[in-house]
Amino acid sequence: MDIIKALKESGLVGLGGAGFSTAAKWQAVKDSYEKKRFVVCNLSEGEPGVFKDEFVIQRHLSKMISGIEIAAEFVNAQKSYIFLNDKYKYYQKKIEKNLKGKKIEVFIDNGRYLCGEETVMLQVMEGKTRQPRLKPPYPTNSGLFGYPTLINNAETFYRVKLIADGDYQPKRFYSLFGDYIPKKVVESDLSSTVEEIINSEKILSKIKFARIGGLSGCFLPRREFNKQITGTGSVEIFGKRRNVFNALCQSIIFLKNESCGKCTPCREGIYRIAEELNNISESKSLWDKEEIFSKIKSIAEAAKESSFCPLGASVANPVISAINLFPEDF
């Protein structure tokens, strides 16, 4: 079958969070003048609250591997890799058992959040500093060891196999967890809202807010649960006794610890936001708090506009949404 035509018709985009056209990425590697090429399946999944790719390993491993092979055949790759976060290393034997006789190698690393960014992942695979590269050139032109490299996440390769088999429907996996609900993966339409993913009036009636997209995502009040879920497809729900301020602090601490320190807006900006959040918790004056809010928001906006990679830019998501939508929690 004409896989690139099928990919275009399906409208499949990367399901790791960036949402870039799968067909366009594959075609870019295919059109490269370099004869040596690689395919990498990103299974780093280093952000707390995102676990749908683990579900792919558990339930759809063979289809995921078939998707990698389809990609390797299309771009004429010399070798393929599965970049596996070592928190999933107990799946290594299962994966390697399914890889016998295939030109696919498992690369294990401690992953961390930054490896979700494809150039950081490539740096780690090459034994270099765990920091992002300047783009362009993009990995499709100069990726692993300087050669064109096709990178997609685990669920994307699984969906590729469904497309090749004629079984594809415009759906994706969502990670759902939090108060009143067990940790689980939900498969639903690409346009699904928070309400539709939770799918329980009894639980919805107990919820105050949700965090969408992991610790680097934004906060949504109950009144906005009719909004479509984007990004990594993660939904964390919080009961009515929960406070957004505490959840925001959790997000900022995580992002501060995961920052590689390469650029000033991220390295210094997130540190300063953490300091100012501490000032809010100690301040008794509403006037002082308003001034701190303004300062935090301006730092977050600056990080969003000028950080070297998506980690620094993402700090604006939790900060702006928390302050703008939940002022009473501060």
Side-chain angles (χ1 to χ4, degrees):
M1 73 176 296
D2 187 343
I3 188 62
I4 203 70
K5 180 182 178 183
L7 288 175
K8 288 178 180 177
E9 290 175 349
S10 73
L12 183 68
V13 298
L15 296 169
F20 188 77
S21 166
T22 303
K25 183 180 282 191
W26 286 34
Q27 194 65 58
V29 177
K30 176 79 168 179
D31 293 342
S32 171
Y33 292 110
E34 290 280 359
K35 291 185 177 180
K36 192 172 184 179
R37 301 158 188 180
F38 297 104
V39 170
V40 180
C41 173
N42 191 339
L43 244 167
S44 64
E45 203 163 53
E47 185 166 3
V50 184
F51 45 83
K52 66 182 183 64
D53 288 346
E54 180 183 18
F55 180 79
V56 173
I57 301 175
Q58 294 170 338
R59 303 289 185 88
H60 306 292
L61 180 58
S62 61
K63 281 186 169 61
M64 182 198 83
I65 292 171
S66 294
I68 297 171
E69 290 185 298
I70 291 169
E73 181 179 358
F74 176 76
V75 302
N76 193 26
Q78 275 63 53
K79 191 172 184 179
S80 300
Y81 294 88
I82 294 175
F83 184 96
L84 186 68
N85 190 325
D86 71 354
K87 72 177 181 180
Y88 295 152
K89 62 185 177 183
Y90 42 83
Y91 294 116
Q92 183 180 0
K93 289 184 178 179
K94 177 181 179 179
I95 294 172
E96 290 180 340
K97 183 178 179 181
N98 281 266
L99 292 179
K100 284 186 178 179
K102 307 178 190 298
K103 292 195 289 186
I104 304 174
E105 180 181 323
V106 178
F107 183 97
I108 297 183
D109 182 74
N110 64 10
R112 299 186 61 180
Y113 174 67
L114 266 177
C115 285
E117 203 284 327
E118 55 188 15
T119 65
V120 178
M121 182 186 67
L122 295 174
Q123 287 278 103
V124 170
M125 293 179 73
E126 294 175 6
K128 297 177 181 176
T129 306
R130 191 182 298 268
Q131 290 183 335
R133 299 176 182 174
L134 183 66
K135 294 187 288 190
Y138 296 96
T140 50
N141 295 317
S142 178
L144 190 61
F145 306 117
Y147 294 103
T149 305
L150 172 61
I151 304 169
N152 282 130
N153 97 309
E155 185 184 357
T156 307
F157 282 119
Y158 163 64
R159 300 290 170 186
V160 166
K161 174 58 175 171
L162 295 184
I163 290 170
D165 290 344
D167 295 329
Y168 177 74
Q169 294 179 341
K171 293 185 176 184
R172 67 170 299 180
F173 294 127
Y174 297 88
S175 306
L176 175 63
F177 70 111
D179 296 344
Y180 316 116
I181 200 162
K183 174 181 171 180
K184 62 180 178 180
V185 172
V186 177
E187 184 174 27
S188 188
D189 296 337
L190 295 172
S191 59
S192 293
T193 64
V194 179
E195 284 180 335
E196 290 169 339
I197 295 302
I198 296 172
N199 193 30
S200 169
E201 286 299 328
K202 182 178 180 181
I203 293 175
L204 285 166
S205 67
K206 300 178 180 179
I207 299 175
K208 178 180 177 180
F209 64 94
R211 176 159 46 198
I212 312 301
L215 292 184
S216 62
C218 63
F219 296 102
L220 282 183
R222 171 67 185 88
R223 65 181 179 274
E224 295 190 18
F225 279 13
N226 59 346
K227 288 190 174 181
Q228 181 179 338
I229 303 167
T230 57
T232 58
S234 169
V235 179
E236 180 180 5
I237 61 175
F238 296 81
K240 291 183 178 179
R241 294 185 178 181
R242 297 291 212 117
N243 189 296
V244 167
F245 176 78
N246 296 329
L248 174 60
C249 290
Q250 181 190 26
S251 287
I252 296 305
I253 290 169
F254 170 76
L255 292 170
K256 180 170 70 71
N257 291 340
E258 292 296 314
S259 175
C260 71
K262 180 167 185 166
C263 70
T264 302
C266 176
R267 182 185 66 246
E268 303 299 327
I270 299 177
Y271 181 82
R272 289 287 292 135
I273 289 172
E275 278 191 328
E276 296 299 338
L277 286 175
N278 186 60
N279 290 339
I280 283 181
S281 67
E282 295 179 352
S283 175
K284 303 299 181 184
S285 165
L286 290 175
W287 180 267
D288 287 345
K289 286 187 177 182
E290 285 293 336
E291 186 176 347
I292 294 171
F293 286 162
S294 178
K295 190 183 298 184
I296 289 175
K297 288 167 70 174
S298 65
I299 295 171
E301 290 286 5
K304 179 180 179 180
E305 297 299 325
S306 55
S307 290
F308 191 86
C309 85
L311 186 148
S314 68
V315 71
N317 296 329
V319 168
I320 303 301
S321 61
I323 292 176
N324 286 350
L325 298 174
F326 302 89
E328 68 281 359
D329 277 18
F330 290 84

